[in-house]
């Protein structure tokens, strides 16, 4: 997901900016700079230059930068190839790209998103071409 400046219920911390404190947003929090403290939001986006050092609670997270400490992602935690997640982290589901780093203690909340039922029937075979 791409952050757009006109997005409602959103917070953007730009590269080179350092915030000490707490961010609460029902929508998106995009971190390109550094946040030391707490963040509670719907969707957390941490860009390649972004660092979050503190307590994180979000519905979903997409990490290309770094998160350290206590992390709770209720649904999907996505760690991109440049992403680092360190500390104690809880998640519903997790997706990790090759190169993404996870370090610490993990625990699944057991949440699973709804997916279409998977058929266990044998696939239909295509006819062989005639010679």
């Amino acid at each position: 997901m791409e952050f757009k400046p006109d997005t409602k219920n959103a917070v953007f911390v730009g590269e080179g900016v350092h915030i000490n404190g707490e961010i609460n947003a029902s929508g998106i929090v995009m971190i390109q700079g550094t946040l030391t403290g707490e963040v509670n939001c719907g969707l957390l986006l941490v860009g390649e230059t972004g660092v979050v050092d503190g307590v994180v609670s979000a519905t979903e997270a997409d990490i290309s930068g770094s998160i350290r400490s206590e992390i709770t992602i209720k649904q999907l935690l996505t760690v991109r190839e440049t992403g680092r997640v360190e500390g104690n982290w809880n998640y519903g589901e997790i997706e990790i790209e090759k190169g993404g780093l996870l370090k610490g203690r993990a625990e699944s909340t057991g949440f699973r998103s709804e997916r279409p039922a998977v058929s266990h029937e044998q696939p239909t075979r295509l006819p062989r071409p005639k010679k």
Side-chain angles (χ1 to χ4, degrees), residues 31-99:
I31 307 288
Q32 290 283 20
T34 302
L35 170 67
T36 302
E38 295 183 35
V39 62
N40 185 351
C41 62
L43 173 61
L44 175 64
L45 303 173
V46 180
E48 287 187 27
T49 59
V51 175
V52 177
D53 193 356
V55 178
V56 172
S57 179
T59 303
E60 292 188 46
D62 192 314
I63 312 303
S64 296
S66 177
I67 295 183
R68 298 185 289 258
S69 197
E70 300 291 324
I71 301 137
T72 300
I73 307 302
K74 295 175 189 103
Q75 293 180 7
L76 178 62
L77 169 61
T78 303
V79 182
R80 302 293 175 186
E81 65 181 333
T82 57
R84 296 178 59 92
V85 176
E86 301 178 54
N88 297 322
W89 34 286
N90 297 304
Y91 60 91
E93 294 183 296
I94 192 165
E95 181 178 324
I96 307 162
E97 289 183 350
K98 183 178 179 178

